[in-house]
Amino acid sequence: MPLARLARVELRKMFDTRSGFWLMASIGILAVLATAATIVFAPDSAITYESFASAIGFPMAVILPIIAILSVTGEWSQRNGLTTFTLVPSRGRVIWTKALVAVGVAVVSMVVAASIGTLGNLLGSTINGTDPVWDVSAVALAQIFLANVLGLLVGFMLGVVIRSSAPAIVAYFVYSALLPTVLGMLAAFQDWFADLQPWVDFNYAQTALFDDAMTGEQWTQLAVTGVVWLVVPTAYGVWRVLRSEVK
């Protein structure tokens, strides 16, 4: 089966179910609601593109990893893995296609959300009678895109490791919400860990992507933590997928 056809099948599977459709649609819906809320409630001085990007970015950071998780775990949670891997015996191609489609959906979603933020900034400036403020550079916007793709890949990693929708989603919220809090408290009270945190905490290393420009050391920290928290677990999860019995 050609890769293009396999990608179309995986993309259709993301939209076929009612829950999948509304999960995808929620990206645009929440982007519009966040933009409208910024226009209505933000003071005139806060009507800048950065404000709209920040408002839209929060729901994106939550939804995209869930999309990646569900794209992987559907073969086991919905018990259609036997059909999928019978039609396409090469499991590696299926997993690779799922990752490719998930990243593609993330990039398109972020482009749509960024466009909605642009329209919101123009509309808000027009309503306030001020000039639009574009305070997010192209480099910063690209780094924001990268941060969201990395978040999605973390969800994908948890999907291939756990292979069950609900536990993988719970694990993602523990990883993204509880773990940074615990490590942040440890860094606040232990000086030795404050210096070590950028080298062992993937969430912390990713926060530098939201700055205007990253230093060489910060890119190195992102690479080191990414290998530990993303690359190695993903490789282990894919290895398990390739060797596990499909029922």
Side-chain angles (χ1 to χ4, degrees):
M1 184 179 294
L3 179 62
R5 185 185 304 169
L6 193 57
R8 288 197 301 270
V9 171
E10 292 298 332
L11 183 62
R12 188 175 71 236
K13 286 162 67 175
M14 289 185 173
F15 291 88
D16 269 355
T17 64
R18 190 178 305 171
S19 59
F21 171 80
W22 284 109
L23 183 62
M24 294 292 186
S26 66
I27 295 175
I29 294 171
L30 291 175
V32 171
L33 292 177
T35 299
T38 302
I39 294 174
V40 173
F41 298 108
D44 294 350
S45 59
I47 301 299
T48 65
Y49 188 70
E50 183 179 7
S51 298
F52 289 99
S54 299
I56 295 172
F58 178 75
M60 292 278 292
V62 174
I63 294 174
L64 290 179
I66 295 177
I67 290 175
I69 289 172
L70 295 179
S71 71
V72 179
T73 58
E75 309 302 331
W76 285 269
S77 297
Q78 299 174 17
R79 300 181 183 277
N80 58 356
L82 187 60
T83 302
T84 298
F85 296 130
T86 300
L87 295 173
V88 186
S90 177
R91 300 185 194 180
R93 292 186 67 231
V94 175
I95 298 301
W96 161 250
T97 304
K98 287 178 180 293
L100 187 64
V101 170
V103 171
V105 168
V107 172
V108 172
S109 301
M110 286 184 286
V111 170
V112 171
S115 301
I116 293 173
T118 299
L119 294 175
N121 193 29
L122 292 172
L123 180 60
S125 300
T126 301
I127 293 174
N128 293 335
T130 59
D131 294 330
V133 178
W134 307 101
D135 51 353
V136 178
S137 65
V139 173
L141 191 61
Q143 291 181 181
I144 292 172
F145 273 47
L146 176 59
N148 280 287
V149 170
L150 290 175
L152 177 139
L153 291 177
V154 169
F156 183 85
M157 174 270 293
L158 292 171
V160 294
V161 170
I162 300 176
R163 290 179 296 163
S164 180
S165 300
I169 292 174
V170 172
Y172 175 74
F173 283 109
V174 170
Y175 165 83
S176 62
L178 180 60
L179 186 61
T181 302
V182 173
L183 295 180
M185 292 179 61
L186 181 61
F189 293 105
Q190 299 292 331
D191 293 337
W192 64 269
F193 187 75
D195 297 329
L196 185 63
Q197 186 178 13
W199 296 97
V200 298
D201 186 351
F202 192 35
N203 277 306
Y204 184 88
Q206 288 181 73
T207 58
L209 289 169
F210 296 97
D211 298 331
D212 289 337
M214 290 178 60
T215 64
E217 183 181 27
Q218 289 174 322
W219 282 112
T220 304
Q221 292 167 349
L222 182 65
V224 171
T225 54
V227 168
V228 174
W229 287 94
L230 183 59
V231 176
V232 173
T234 301
Y236 170 72
V238 171
W239 176 79
R240 288 191 62 201
V241 168
L242 296 179
R243 295 179 61 87
S244 64
E245 181 181 0
V246 179
K247 300 179 181 180

